Structures are given as structure tokens and as C-alpha cells.
């Protein structure tokens, strides 16, 4: 059976790798919608190749700019484009691979329309975890994680036979600054932070990997996906990025998923679940690797982990504040307006100032996000 797939954020790192899998398996996938923020030329190329019914740019598209050979496609602009791709265009699966809290509305739209959601956008769970998981439970379709660690945990749980895990071991590469001093990290430049040792990803998540905010966001993501309290999620630094995470059971058994650091494996697993696709990725050569190493994270050098746990404990909108403040601070860092060390400081400031905000509905979540960004913008240097 051919699966129809809509891809939100198709020009990004995850989106292009998903399309690579669609290209490899034309007999299994038909692309029905593609969206991007502003990369017009890249989107044109993708529409030419995959011929979706609908395509859209959230930054807008002038009908006069659409090449003559691409007029067969329905072109849309702005938030309407995301809404149509998530919920209106005919699709079995919706891959949400846009960046940031912008993904929350799309995930809710896709679930409400009864679509199978392939979730790359972790921010939807970080900010609206209870709304998303409640809605997913009603549809009866599991959220299929694309994030490599969460895909690994999900894969390990397939062998759990209903047994609940005692603990989740969430692995982290440690990023480019793992061996740096706290003083050197505080002054790191965007060029240094964008040089990830193992993974090639979009800019925002690459900076988050360097600060370990990504791992903080992933603790929150795991808490919602697997309904496990934060105390049972342990971060394990594993610089080789071969073990993508593991699950511990009460009998002392640990199940882990291993593979090369290539996102086509978790993307393909979500796309074909419960089957497995040929992805073009080789198995890791254990003889060449020889050893795999593990260490405890240094929470003094990477305050993001402590802040994430504090946010989870506080509840309400604290995780949304953590996320929104970080998004805003990362953008300022990439514009070279603030030093690297200032990212965590501003997030902590926002969490302190906005303690106790509610997050019961989408409006409250979006309000907390706005206020967190305002705090980050207003903190004096
Ligand atoms: P990216 O920056 O490479 O691509 C993002 C895509 O979404 C692009 O097509 C862009 O045009 C579009 N986009 C960005 N912001 C948007 C907005 N506000 N509204 C609409 N469209 C927007 O990002 P990425 O690295 O592919 O990451 C996508 C998501 O997947 C993120 O949530 C990230 O945390 C998650 N993720 C990525 C990786 C990875 O390897 N890249 C791994 C795990 C999780
Ligand atoms: Mg990850």
C-alpha cells in the first residue's frame, strides 16, 4: 500500500532526509504536501521532483513568482499553508519537522484531523505535552518519535512486552564543548558552536546540542512520550553517538539501540512503523569502533540540565518559558548580540521572573512563550 505523506519543514535537515527516503521508495510513499519558511528555490525544486498536491511558504509567496511548470500544485502562504498541510491535504502521515514552538499548532491540527504524526519537532511536547498526548490518546494512533534518542527508546520498548521501564538512559554526544573549560564555553563563538562532532543538523538544534539545552528539551520530550517521571530519566554522555539511548528493566536487563549517527534511520522507522525500511545507512562496524565510552554530564559546565529538571518540577508553563527563552536567546547568540554563556543565564532569569504561569490551554502556552521572549530581550547585558 502506498502511504501518503505531508512534510512540514521539507527544506530543512530532517525534511530533506525524509524526502531522500521517499525518493528511495517511490513504490511506498507519495508526497502530498510540502512546506518551508522562506527557502523558495529549494521548495520549487522539491515540488518539481515530488509533485505534491499542495505546497506553501510561511513567509509568503507571490503567485507571479511561481514557475509555469509548477502551477499544477496548489500554492499557499503563511499559517494557512501549515494548517492545510497538517490537516486538509489528503495524507496518512504528517511529518512535523519545523523548528520551535511553531510546531505545536501543527501537531494539534494533524492529530485533530486523525493523521498519524511523525514527530521531529520536540518543542510541541515540551510546551504542550499534556494537550498533545491527550489528543493522541483519543485518536488511538501513537505519536511516532523521529528524534534519534526517542526513536531508540520507542524501538527498545517494542520488546518490553508491556513491562514498564525502571529507568531511561538518554544518551548525549556532549557536543563540541564537552572537554572545554566553563570559562572557554562562556565565550564560544557561533562558528565554534555550529561545529557538531557527530551530527549534521539545523542551526538551532546544533547550538542547543553545544549548550546541552537540547538534552534538557529531550528529557521533557521523553517525559511526555513515555509517561516516565523526570527522576527516572538519566542523561549519559556518550561521545561516539552509536548508542542512541537505552531502557532499563527491573530484572537488571538493559536494552539499547545502536546505529551510526544518521537521522535516516529514526526517520525511516517512524515512516514505516512497524516495518523497517532500507535506508541506505550501513550498520556500525563494531570492530573498527573497538570501544564505546560513557560519562556523567557536568551540570556545572552545562546548566541547561539543571534548569530543565527545575522546569519539569515546577510544572505549569515553566517548560514553555525554558523553551521560549532559549529560542530567543539562541537567535540573539547567532546574531552575535550575546555571548554563549549568556544563553543559560537569560533562560534562568526568565524562569525566575515568570514562575507560576499556567499552561492549561494553547492560549496560555503561547502567552507564556511571548512573555519569556520579552524577558530575554529586555535583560541588560
Ligand atoms: P532546519 O532548520 O534544518 O529546518 C527547518 C525546516 O522548517 C525548514 O524547512 C524551514 O524552512 C522550516 N521552518 C523553520 N521555522 C519555521 C517556522 N517558524 N514556521 C514554519 N516553517 C519553519 O531544522 P531541523 O534540524 O531539520 O529540525 C527540525 C525539527 O526537528 C526541530 O524541532 C529539531 O529540534 C528536530 N530534530 C532535528 C534533528 C536533526 O538531526 N536535524 C534531530 C532531532 C530532532
Ligand atoms: Mg536528539
Amino acid at each position: 500500500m502506498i502511504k501518503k505523506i505531508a512534510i512540514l519543514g521539507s527544506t530543512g535537515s530532517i525534511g530533506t532526509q525524509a524526502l531522500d527516503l521517499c525518493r528511495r521508495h517511490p513504490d511506498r510513499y507519495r508526497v502530498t504536501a510540502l512546506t518551508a519558511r522562506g527557502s523558495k528555490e529549494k521548495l520549487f525544486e522539491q515540488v518539481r521532483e515530488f509533485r505534491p498536491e499542495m505546497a506553501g511558504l510561511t513567509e509568503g509567496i507571490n503567485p507571479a513568482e511561481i514557475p509555469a511548470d509548477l502551477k499544477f500544485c496548489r500554492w499557499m502562504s503563511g499559517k494557512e499553508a501549515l494548517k492545510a498541510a497538517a490537516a486538509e491535504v489528503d495524507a496518512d502521515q504528517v511529518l512535523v519537522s519545523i523548528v520551535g514552538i511553531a510546531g505545536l499548532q501543527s501537531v494539534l491540527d494533524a492529530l485533530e484531523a486523525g493523521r498519524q504524526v511523525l514527530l521531529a519537532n520536540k518543542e510541541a511536547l515540551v510546551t504542550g505535552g499534556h494537550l498533545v498526548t491527550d489528543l493522541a490518546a483519543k485518536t488511538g494512533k501513537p505519536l511516532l518519535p523521529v528524534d534519534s534518542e526517542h526513536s531508540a527508546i520507542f524501538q527498545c520498548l517494542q520488546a518490553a512486552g508491556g513491562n514498564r521501564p525502571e529507568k531511561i538512559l538518554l544518551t548525549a554526544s556532549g557536543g563540541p564543548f564537552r572537554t572545554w573549560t566553563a570559562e572557554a564555553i562562556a565565550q564560544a563563538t557561533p562558528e565554534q558552536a555550529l561545529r557538531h562532532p557527530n551530527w549534521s543538523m539545523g542551526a538551532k538544534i546544533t547550538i542547543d546540542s553545544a549548550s546541552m539545552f537540547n538534552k534538557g528539551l529531550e528529557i521533557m520530550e521523553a517525559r511526555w512520550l513515555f509517561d516516565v517521571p523526570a527522576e527516572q530519566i538519566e542523561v549519559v554522555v556518550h561521545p561516539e553517538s552509536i548508542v542512541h539511548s537505552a531502557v532499563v528493566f527491573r530484572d537488571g536487563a538493559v536494552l539499547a539501540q545502536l546505529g551510526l549517527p544518521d537521522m535516516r534511520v529514526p526517520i525511516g522507522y517512524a515512516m514505516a512503523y512497524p516495518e523497517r525500511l532500507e535506508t541506505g545507512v550501513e550498520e556500525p562496524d563494531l570492530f573498527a569502533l573497538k570501544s564505546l565510552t560513557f560519562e556523567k554530564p557536568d551540570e556545572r559546565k552545562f546548566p541547561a540540565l539543571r534548569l530543565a529538571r527545575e522546569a519539569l518540577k515546577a510544572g505549569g508553563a515553566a517548560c514553555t518559558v525554558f523553551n521560549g527563552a532559549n529560542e530567543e536567546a539562541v537567535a540573539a547568540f547567532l546574531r552575535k548580540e550575546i555571548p554563549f554563556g549568556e544563553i543559560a543565564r537569560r533562560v534562568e532569569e526568565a524562569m525566575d521572573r515568570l514562575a507560576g504561569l499556567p499552561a492549561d490551554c494553547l492560549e496560555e502556552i503561547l502567552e507564556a512563550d511571548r512573555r519569556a521572549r520579552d524577558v530575554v530581550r529586555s535583560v541588560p547585558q
Side-chain angles (χ1 to χ4, degrees):
M1 194 194 78
I2 290 204
K3 285 187 183 171
K4 285 172 259 171
I5 182 166
I7 302 180
L8 280 64
S10 64
T11 58
S13 162
I14 296 288
T16 51
Q17 293 181 83
L19 284 173
D20 181 56
L21 294 172
C22 294
R23 186 180 294 120
R24 276 176 178 273
H25 298 281
D27 51 327
R28 300 192 53 155
Y29 297 95
R30 187 151 70 73
V31 178
T32 56
L34 293 173
T35 78
R37 183 166 50 184
S39 332
K40 203 170 21 185
E41 295 303 327
K42 198 161 182 183
L43 188 64
F44 286 161
E45 261 170 54
Q46 293 181 340
V47 170
R48 199 163 276 126
E49 178 178 358
F50 292 98
R51 308 192 69 77
E53 287 162 31
M54 181 249 137
L57 282 167
T58 54
E59 281 181 0
I61 176 122
N62 177 346
E65 295 173 315
I66 300 167
D69 65 322
L70 302 183
K71 298 251 163 115
F72 67 87
C73 180
R74 178 172 152 227
W75 285 89
M76 299 185 71
S77 291
K79 286 194 177 150
E80 313 251 292
L82 289 179
K83 173 104 190 176
E88 289 157 21
V89 170
D90 185 19
D92 305 299
Q93 308 187 321
V94 176
L95 169 61
V96 183
S97 51
I98 63 182
V99 182
I101 193 175
L104 175 57
Q105 181 72 58
S106 298
V107 170
L108 294 173
D109 288 344
L111 287 171
E112 237 151 53
R115 307 287 192 258
Q116 174 80 73
V117 172
L118 318 186
L119 193 65
N121 176 279
K122 61 194 83 184
E123 298 90 338
L125 282 173
V126 166
T127 59
H130 56 301
L131 301 181
V132 171
T133 50
D134 284 357
L135 199 53
K138 275 191 210 134
T139 68
K141 290 183 185 157
L143 288 165
L144 298 174
V146 167
D147 210 347
S148 58
E149 297 78 359
H150 305 75
S151 173
I153 296 160
F154 186 76
Q155 292 180 54
C156 294
L157 289 175
Q158 302 305 306
N163 290 287
R164 302 260 322 149
E166 287 286 289
K167 197 158 83 172
I168 284 175
L169 302 177
L170 189 69
T171 52
S173 70
F177 304 148
R178 181 175 59 90
T179 56
W180 289 30
T181 62
E183 295 68 32
I185 295 173
Q187 297 308 323
T189 64
E191 291 72 26
Q192 291 167 324
L194 284 169
R195 221 172 289 138
H196 195 281
N198 306 342
W199 295 96
S200 157
M201 310 179 283
K204 161 71 170 45
I205 184 174
T206 305
I207 300 298
D208 286 349
S209 300
S211 63
M212 292 198 80
F213 265 88
N214 183 50
K215 215 44 60 179
L217 295 168
E218 289 186 353
I219 298 174
M220 298 169 184
E221 183 185 12
R223 180 259 169 267
W224 287 108
L225 273 174
F226 307 113
D227 193 20
V228 173
E231 305 75 62
Q232 288 173 24
I233 304 171
E234 184 168 1
V235 174
V236 180
V237 175
H238 166 49
E240 296 85 4
S241 296
I242 295 295
V243 176
H244 295 303
S245 278
V247 169
V248 182
F249 293 100
R250 84 167 100 189
D251 56 0
V254 180
L255 298 189
Q257 186 250 328
L258 280 67
L260 292 177
D262 189 315
M263 287 305 292
R264 287 175 299 172
V265 177
I267 298 168
Y269 189 73
M271 283 170 62
Y273 173 81
E275 292 172 37
R276 285 182 185 268
L277 275 185
E278 191 281 314
T279 58
V281 182
E282 298 287 313
E283 72 190 77
D285 180 350
L286 298 181
F287 302 107
L289 283 165
K290 289 197 170 60
S291 67
L292 298 175
T293 60
F294 304 93
E295 42 188 79
K296 276 200 187 294
D298 184 336
E299 299 209 1
R300 197 185 62 84
K301 287 202 303 197
F302 300 102
L305 296 174
R306 168 180 60 83
L307 295 174
R309 292 195 188 279
E310 283 173 15
L312 271 164
K313 203 163 175 193
C319 292
T320 299
V321 170
F322 172 92
N323 177 70
N326 178 54
E327 278 189 31
E328 197 64 35
V330 169
F333 168 69
L334 285 172
R335 292 191 303 264
K336 303 198 171 179
E337 290 166 12
I338 61 170
F340 191 76
E342 190 65 13
I343 298 174
R345 203 180 73 79
R346 293 204 181 194
V347 171
E348 186 155 21
E349 176 86 24
M351 285 171 61
D352 286 347
R353 284 209 223 163
L354 301 175
L357 288 185
D360 295 330
C361 59
L362 186 59
E363 291 67 38
E364 287 177 349
I365 293 168
L366 297 179
E367 171 67 11
D369 176 67
R370 264 192 300 275
R371 291 186 59 182
R373 289 166 191 273
D374 285 345
V375 171
V376 170
R377 284 193 218 105
S378 68
V379 172
Q381 276 271 23

